[in-house]
PDB file of all heavy atoms in Angstrom:
ATOM      1  N   GLY A  32      -9.929 -31.756  -0.087  1.00 54.00           N
ATOM      2  CA  GLY A  32      -9.414 -30.499  -0.723  1.00 54.00           C
ATOM      3  C   GLY A  32     -10.500 -29.438  -0.776  1.00 54.00           C
ATOM      4  O   GLY A  32     -10.191 -28.232  -0.544  1.00 54.00           O
ATOM      5  N   ASP A  33     -11.741 -29.815  -1.059  1.00 54.00           N
ATOM      6  CA  ASP A  33     -12.906 -28.889  -1.016  1.00 54.00           C
ATOM      7  C   ASP A  33     -13.036 -28.265   0.326  1.00 54.00           C
ATOM      8  O   ASP A  33     -13.250 -27.048   0.493  1.00 54.00           O
ATOM      9  CB  ASP A  33     -14.148 -29.629  -1.426  1.00 54.00           C
ATOM     10  CG  ASP A  33     -14.190 -29.956  -2.921  1.00 54.00           C
ATOM     11  OD1 ASP A  33     -13.354 -29.451  -3.674  1.00 54.00           O
ATOM     12  OD2 ASP A  33     -15.025 -30.814  -3.333  1.00 54.00           O
ATOM     13  N   ILE A  34     -12.946 -29.113   1.403  1.00 51.00           N
ATOM     14  CA  ILE A  34     -13.105 -28.573   2.671  1.00 51.00           C
ATOM     15  C   ILE A  34     -11.955 -27.674   3.105  1.00 51.00           C
ATOM     16  O   ILE A  34     -12.155 -26.604   3.698  1.00 51.00           O
ATOM     17  CB  ILE A  34     -13.163 -29.783   3.743  1.00 51.00           C
ATOM     18  CG1 ILE A  34     -14.532 -30.550   3.545  1.00 51.00           C
ATOM     19  CG2 ILE A  34     -13.118 -29.262   5.203  1.00 51.00           C
ATOM     20  CD1 ILE A  34     -14.657 -31.807   4.397  1.00 51.00           C
ATOM     21  N   TRP A  35     -10.781 -28.099   2.717  1.00 50.00           N
ATOM     22  CA  TRP A  35      -9.559 -27.229   2.991  1.00 50.00           C
ATOM     23  C   TRP A  35      -9.732 -25.834   2.391  1.00 50.00           C
ATOM     24  O   TRP A  35      -9.545 -24.836   3.002  1.00 50.00           O
ATOM     25  CB  TRP A  35      -8.348 -27.910   2.475  1.00 50.00           C
ATOM     26  CG  TRP A  35      -7.115 -27.109   2.350  1.00 50.00           C
ATOM     27  CD1 TRP A  35      -6.709 -26.370   1.252  1.00 50.00           C
ATOM     28  CD2 TRP A  35      -6.237 -26.809   3.344  1.00 50.00           C
ATOM     29  NE1 TRP A  35      -5.559 -25.757   1.484  1.00 50.00           N
ATOM     30  CE2 TRP A  35      -5.224 -25.874   2.767  1.00 50.00           C
ATOM     31  CE3 TRP A  35      -6.065 -27.138   4.694  1.00 50.00           C
ATOM     32  CZ2 TRP A  35      -4.161 -25.497   3.503  1.00 50.00           C
ATOM     33  CZ3 TRP A  35      -5.014 -26.691   5.408  1.00 50.00           C
ATOM     34  CH2 TRP A  35      -4.063 -25.862   4.813  1.00 50.00           C
ATOM     35  N   ARG A  36     -10.175 -25.815   1.159  1.00 53.00           N
ATOM     36  CA  ARG A  36     -10.363 -24.498   0.437  1.00 53.00           C
ATOM     37  C   ARG A  36     -11.389 -23.718   0.993  1.00 53.00           C
ATOM     38  O   ARG A  36     -11.359 -22.501   1.251  1.00 53.00           O
ATOM     39  CB  ARG A  36     -10.582 -24.795  -1.091  1.00 53.00           C
ATOM     40  CG  ARG A  36      -9.405 -25.192  -1.855  1.00 53.00           C
ATOM     41  CD  ARG A  36      -9.656 -25.149  -3.400  1.00 53.00           C
ATOM     42  NE  ARG A  36     -10.725 -26.062  -3.707  1.00 53.00           N
ATOM     43  CZ  ARG A  36     -10.492 -27.344  -4.035  1.00 53.00           C
ATOM     44  NH1 ARG A  36      -9.197 -27.777  -3.953  1.00 53.00           N
ATOM     45  NH2 ARG A  36     -11.404 -28.130  -4.388  1.00 53.00           N
ATOM     46  N   GLN A  37     -12.534 -24.405   1.448  1.00 51.00           N
ATOM     47  CA  GLN A  37     -13.698 -23.706   1.993  1.00 51.00           C
ATOM     48  C   GLN A  37     -13.296 -23.111   3.434  1.00 51.00           C
ATOM     49  O   GLN A  37     -13.716 -21.978   3.747  1.00 51.00           O
ATOM     50  CB  GLN A  37     -14.896 -24.597   2.131  1.00 51.00           C
ATOM     51  CG  GLN A  37     -16.164 -23.872   2.565  1.00 51.00           C
ATOM     52  CD  GLN A  37     -16.508 -22.717   1.699  1.00 51.00           C
ATOM     53  OE1 GLN A  37     -16.407 -22.816   0.510  1.00 51.00           O
ATOM     54  NE2 GLN A  37     -16.916 -21.564   2.260  1.00 51.00           N
ATOM     55  N   MET A  38     -12.544 -23.896   4.162  1.00 49.00           N
ATOM     56  CA  MET A  38     -12.118 -23.428   5.434  1.00 49.00           C
ATOM     57  C   MET A  38     -11.202 -22.187   5.285  1.00 49.00           C
ATOM     58  O   MET A  38     -11.333 -21.198   6.004  1.00 49.00           O
ATOM     59  CB  MET A  38     -11.317 -24.515   6.208  1.00 49.00           C
ATOM     60  CG  MET A  38     -12.185 -25.623   6.785  1.00 49.00           C
ATOM     61  SD  MET A  38     -11.108 -26.819   7.589  1.00 49.00           S
ATOM     62  CE  MET A  38     -12.352 -27.823   8.383  1.00 49.00           C
ATOM     63  N   ALA A  39     -10.340 -22.294   4.296  1.00 49.00           N
ATOM     64  CA  ALA A  39      -9.419 -21.132   4.061  1.00 49.00           C
ATOM     65  C   ALA A  39     -10.228 -19.862   3.721  1.00 49.00           C
ATOM     66  O   ALA A  39      -9.855 -18.766   4.095  1.00 49.00           O
ATOM     67  CB  ALA A  39      -8.436 -21.442   2.954  1.00 49.00           C
ATOM     68  N   ILE A  40     -11.325 -20.001   2.928  1.00 45.00           N
ATOM     69  CA  ILE A  40     -12.087 -18.829   2.507  1.00 45.00           C
ATOM     70  C   ILE A  40     -12.921 -18.381   3.710  1.00 45.00           C
ATOM     71  O   ILE A  40     -12.954 -17.219   4.064  1.00 45.00           O
ATOM     72  CB  ILE A  40     -12.955 -19.208   1.340  1.00 45.00           C
ATOM     73  CG1 ILE A  40     -12.098 -19.502   0.116  1.00 45.00           C
ATOM     74  CG2 ILE A  40     -13.924 -18.107   0.975  1.00 45.00           C
ATOM     75  CD1 ILE A  40     -12.855 -20.053  -1.090  1.00 45.00           C
ATOM     76  N   SER A  41     -13.686 -19.309   4.278  1.00 44.00           N
ATOM     77  CA  SER A  41     -14.677 -18.917   5.271  1.00 44.00           C
ATOM     78  C   SER A  41     -14.034 -18.410   6.571  1.00 44.00           C
ATOM     79  O   SER A  41     -14.558 -17.572   7.286  1.00 44.00           O
ATOM     80  CB  SER A  41     -15.567 -20.153   5.692  1.00 44.00           C
ATOM     81  OG  SER A  41     -16.298 -20.585   4.535  1.00 44.00           O
ATOM     82  N   GLU A  42     -12.860 -18.871   6.856  1.00 43.00           N
ATOM     83  CA  GLU A  42     -12.165 -18.528   8.098  1.00 43.00           C
ATOM     84  C   GLU A  42     -11.025 -17.616   7.885  1.00 43.00           C
ATOM     85  O   GLU A  42     -10.040 -17.646   8.694  1.00 43.00           O
ATOM     86  CB  GLU A  42     -11.723 -19.796   8.835  1.00 43.00           C
ATOM     87  CG  GLU A  42     -12.860 -20.776   9.152  1.00 43.00           C
ATOM     88  CD  GLU A  42     -13.998 -19.988   9.873  1.00 43.00           C
ATOM     89  OE1 GLU A  42     -13.727 -19.166  10.746  1.00 43.00           O
ATOM     90  OE2 GLU A  42     -15.156 -20.287   9.522  1.00 43.00           O
ATOM     91  N   GLU A  43     -11.070 -16.791   6.827  1.00 45.00           N
ATOM     92  CA  GLU A  43      -9.949 -15.878   6.519  1.00 45.00           C
ATOM     93  C   GLU A  43      -9.686 -14.952   7.745  1.00 45.00           C
ATOM     94  O   GLU A  43      -8.577 -14.679   8.154  1.00 45.00           O
ATOM     95  CB  GLU A  43     -10.289 -15.030   5.277  1.00 45.00           C
ATOM     96  CG  GLU A  43      -9.157 -14.008   5.004  1.00 45.00           C
ATOM     97  CD  GLU A  43      -9.513 -13.262   3.697  1.00 45.00           C
ATOM     98  OE1 GLU A  43     -10.696 -13.404   3.221  1.00 45.00           O
ATOM     99  OE2 GLU A  43      -8.767 -12.436   3.259  1.00 45.00           O
ATOM    100  N   ARG A  44     -10.800 -14.475   8.348  1.00 42.00           N
ATOM    101  CA  ARG A  44     -10.656 -13.606   9.492  1.00 42.00           C
ATOM    102  C   ARG A  44      -9.894 -14.244  10.668  1.00 42.00           C
ATOM    103  O   ARG A  44      -9.053 -13.658  11.339  1.00 42.00           O
ATOM    104  CB  ARG A  44     -12.063 -13.135   9.994  1.00 42.00           C
ATOM    105  CG  ARG A  44     -11.967 -12.241  11.161  1.00 42.00           C
ATOM    106  CD  ARG A  44     -13.444 -11.735  11.563  1.00 42.00           C
ATOM    107  NE  ARG A  44     -13.378 -10.954  12.756  1.00 42.00           N
ATOM    108  CZ  ARG A  44     -14.441 -10.461  13.395  1.00 42.00           C
ATOM    109  NH1 ARG A  44     -15.611 -10.730  12.870  1.00 42.00           N
ATOM    110  NH2 ARG A  44     -14.311  -9.766  14.508  1.00 42.00           N
ATOM    111  N   CYS A  45     -10.248 -15.555  10.856  1.00 47.00           N
ATOM    112  CA  CYS A  45      -9.579 -16.292  11.999  1.00 47.00           C
ATOM    113  C   CYS A  45      -8.122 -16.405  11.678  1.00 47.00           C
ATOM    114  O   CYS A  45      -7.329 -16.223  12.587  1.00 47.00           O
ATOM    115  CB  CYS A  45     -10.225 -17.643  12.160  1.00 47.00           C
ATOM    116  SG  CYS A  45      -9.507 -18.632  13.452  1.00 47.00           S
ATOM    117  N   LEU A  46      -7.737 -16.784  10.429  1.00 45.00           N
ATOM    118  CA  LEU A  46      -6.330 -16.922  10.127  1.00 45.00           C
ATOM    119  C   LEU A  46      -5.591 -15.602  10.236  1.00 45.00           C
ATOM    120  O   LEU A  46      -4.466 -15.531  10.675  1.00 45.00           O
ATOM    121  CB  LEU A  46      -6.234 -17.472   8.697  1.00 45.00           C
ATOM    122  CG  LEU A  46      -6.708 -18.925   8.505  1.00 45.00           C
ATOM    123  CD1 LEU A  46      -6.536 -19.306   7.041  1.00 45.00           C
ATOM    124  CD2 LEU A  46      -5.917 -19.859   9.372  1.00 45.00           C
ATOM    125  N   VAL A  47      -6.272 -14.523   9.819  1.00 41.00           N
ATOM    126  CA  VAL A  47      -5.609 -13.168   9.969  1.00 41.00           C
ATOM    127  C   VAL A  47      -5.441 -12.875  11.421  1.00 41.00           C
ATOM    128  O   VAL A  47      -4.360 -12.362  11.818  1.00 41.00           O
ATOM    129  CB  VAL A  47      -6.503 -12.108   9.306  1.00 41.00           C
ATOM    130  CG1 VAL A  47      -6.000 -10.721   9.611  1.00 41.00           C
ATOM    131  CG2 VAL A  47      -6.455 -12.314   7.806  1.00 41.00           C
ATOM    132  N   ASP A  48      -6.408 -13.148  12.258  1.00 42.00           N
ATOM    133  CA  ASP A  48      -6.270 -12.853  13.682  1.00 42.00           C
ATOM    134  C   ASP A  48      -5.168 -13.679  14.306  1.00 42.00           C
ATOM    135  O   ASP A  48      -4.611 -13.253  15.352  1.00 42.00           O
ATOM    136  CB  ASP A  48      -7.614 -13.200  14.420  1.00 42.00           C
ATOM    137  CG  ASP A  48      -8.694 -12.200  14.099  1.00 42.00           C
ATOM    138  OD1 ASP A  48      -8.403 -11.142  13.530  1.00 42.00           O
ATOM    139  OD2 ASP A  48      -9.883 -12.494  14.322  1.00 42.00           O
ATOM    140  N   SER A  49      -4.797 -14.815  13.687  1.00 40.00           N
ATOM    141  CA  SER A  49      -3.786 -15.691  14.273  1.00 40.00           C
ATOM    142  C   SER A  49      -2.475 -15.511  13.575  1.00 40.00           C
ATOM    143  O   SER A  49      -1.558 -16.318  13.681  1.00 40.00           O
ATOM    144  CB  SER A  49      -4.264 -17.115  14.146  1.00 40.00           C
ATOM    145  OG  SER A  49      -5.461 -17.355  14.853  1.00 40.00           O
ATOM    146  N   LYS A  50      -2.294 -14.468  12.735  1.00 41.00           N
ATOM    147  CA  LYS A  50      -1.092 -14.341  11.952  1.00 41.00           C
ATOM    148  C   LYS A  50       0.222 -14.264  12.763  1.00 41.00           C
ATOM    149  O   LYS A  50       1.274 -14.581  12.267  1.00 41.00           O
ATOM    150  CB  LYS A  50      -1.259 -13.170  10.970  1.00 41.00           C
ATOM    151  CG  LYS A  50      -1.299 -11.811  11.735  1.00 41.00           C
ATOM    152  CD  LYS A  50      -1.509 -10.706  10.676  1.00 41.00           C
ATOM    153  CE  LYS A  50      -1.649  -9.352  11.349  1.00 41.00           C
ATOM    154  NZ  LYS A  50      -1.910  -8.277  10.370  1.00 41.00           N
ATOM    155  N   ASN A  51       0.115 -13.807  14.016  1.00 41.00           N
ATOM    156  CA  ASN A  51       1.292 -13.687  14.839  1.00 41.00           C
ATOM    157  C   ASN A  51       1.535 -14.941  15.614  1.00 41.00           C
ATOM    158  O   ASN A  51       2.521 -15.025  16.325  1.00 41.00           O
ATOM    159  CB  ASN A  51       1.154 -12.478  15.812  1.00 41.00           C
ATOM    160  CG  ASN A  51       1.114 -11.192  15.055  1.00 41.00           C
ATOM    161  OD1 ASN A  51       1.805 -11.018  14.003  1.00 41.00           O
ATOM    162  ND2 ASN A  51       0.361 -10.219  15.544  1.00 41.00           N
ATOM    163  N   ASP A  52       0.591 -15.907  15.504  1.00 42.00           N
ATOM    164  CA  ASP A  52       0.810 -17.144  16.181  1.00 42.00           C
ATOM    165  C   ASP A  52       0.481 -18.275  15.145  1.00 42.00           C
ATOM    166  O   ASP A  52      -0.700 -18.469  14.946  1.00 42.00           O
ATOM    167  CB  ASP A  52      -0.094 -17.292  17.417  1.00 42.00           C
ATOM    168  CG  ASP A  52       0.050 -18.616  18.115  1.00 42.00           C
ATOM    169  OD1 ASP A  52       0.889 -19.425  17.666  1.00 42.00           O
ATOM    170  OD2 ASP A  52      -0.634 -18.841  19.111  1.00 42.00           O
ATOM    171  N   LEU A  53       1.423 -18.872  14.516  1.00 45.00           N
ATOM    172  CA  LEU A  53       1.246 -19.777  13.410  1.00 45.00           C
ATOM    173  C   LEU A  53       0.872 -21.189  13.830  1.00 45.00           C
ATOM    174  O   LEU A  53       0.798 -22.069  13.041  1.00 45.00           O
ATOM    175  CB  LEU A  53       2.508 -19.792  12.502  1.00 45.00           C
ATOM    176  CG  LEU A  53       2.891 -18.447  11.928  1.00 45.00           C
ATOM    177  CD1 LEU A  53       4.167 -18.643  11.146  1.00 45.00           C
ATOM    178  CD2 LEU A  53       1.800 -17.913  11.052  1.00 45.00           C
ATOM    179  N   THR A  54       0.618 -21.437  15.126  1.00 45.00           N
ATOM    180  CA  THR A  54       0.338 -22.781  15.600  1.00 45.00           C
ATOM    181  C   THR A  54      -0.839 -23.351  14.843  1.00 45.00           C
ATOM    182  O   THR A  54      -0.831 -24.488  14.376  1.00 45.00           O
ATOM    183  CB  THR A  54       0.022 -22.776  17.042  1.00 45.00           C
ATOM    184  OG1 THR A  54       1.170 -22.233  17.740  1.00 45.00           O
ATOM    185  CG2 THR A  54      -0.226 -24.147  17.611  1.00 45.00           C
ATOM    186  N   LEU A  55      -1.908 -22.592  14.686  1.00 47.00           N
ATOM    187  CA  LEU A  55      -3.120 -23.072  14.061  1.00 47.00           C
ATOM    188  C   LEU A  55      -2.891 -23.407  12.617  1.00 47.00           C
ATOM    189  O   LEU A  55      -3.256 -24.505  12.154  1.00 47.00           O
ATOM    190  CB  LEU A  55      -4.243 -22.035  14.147  1.00 47.00           C
ATOM    191  CG  LEU A  55      -5.584 -22.365  13.492  1.00 47.00           C
ATOM    192  CD1 LEU A  55      -6.178 -23.608  14.186  1.00 47.00           C
ATOM    193  CD2 LEU A  55      -6.547 -21.234  13.640  1.00 47.00           C
ATOM    194  N   GLN A  56      -2.254 -22.523  11.878  1.00 49.00           N
ATOM    195  CA  GLN A  56      -1.954 -22.819  10.434  1.00 49.00           C
ATOM    196  C   GLN A  56      -1.087 -24.061  10.297  1.00 49.00           C
ATOM    197  O   GLN A  56      -1.314 -24.863   9.467  1.00 49.00           O
ATOM    198  CB  GLN A  56      -1.301 -21.621   9.780  1.00 49.00           C
ATOM    199  CG  GLN A  56      -2.299 -20.458   9.548  1.00 49.00           C
ATOM    200  CD  GLN A  56      -1.895 -19.272  10.449  1.00 49.00           C
ATOM    201  OE1 GLN A  56      -1.574 -19.461  11.621  1.00 49.00           O
ATOM    202  NE2 GLN A  56      -1.918 -18.082   9.912  1.00 49.00           N
ATOM    203  N   LYS A  57      -0.067 -24.155  11.150  1.00 48.00           N
ATOM    204  CA  LYS A  57       0.888 -25.280  11.006  1.00 48.00           C
ATOM    205  C   LYS A  57       0.133 -26.642  11.290  1.00 48.00           C
ATOM    206  O   LYS A  57       0.307 -27.589  10.624  1.00 48.00           O
ATOM    207  CB  LYS A  57       2.077 -25.152  11.976  1.00 48.00           C
ATOM    208  CG  LYS A  57       3.078 -24.057  11.534  1.00 48.00           C
ATOM    209  CD  LYS A  57       4.194 -23.979  12.553  1.00 48.00           C
ATOM    210  CE  LYS A  57       5.179 -22.875  12.158  1.00 48.00           C
ATOM    211  NZ  LYS A  57       6.284 -22.763  13.100  1.00 48.00           N
ATOM    212  N   ALA A  58      -0.683 -26.630  12.324  1.00 49.00           N
ATOM    213  CA  ALA A  58      -1.409 -27.780  12.677  1.00 49.00           C
ATOM    214  C   ALA A  58      -2.367 -28.241  11.618  1.00 49.00           C
ATOM    215  O   ALA A  58      -2.432 -29.478  11.260  1.00 49.00           O
ATOM    216  CB  ALA A  58      -2.201 -27.573  13.960  1.00 49.00           C
TER     217      ALA A  58
END
Side-chain angles (χ1 to χ4, degrees):
D33 290 342
I34 291 177
W35 166 264
R36 286 190 296 273
Q37 186 57 41
M38 284 179 173
I40 294 171
S41 299
E42 301 308 321
E43 180 180 5
R44 178 179 177 182
C45 180
L46 291 178
V47 170
D48 290 343
S49 302
K50 64 184 178 181
N51 294 324
D52 181 2
L53 298 179
T54 303
L55 180 62
Q56 288 112 315
K57 288 181 179 178

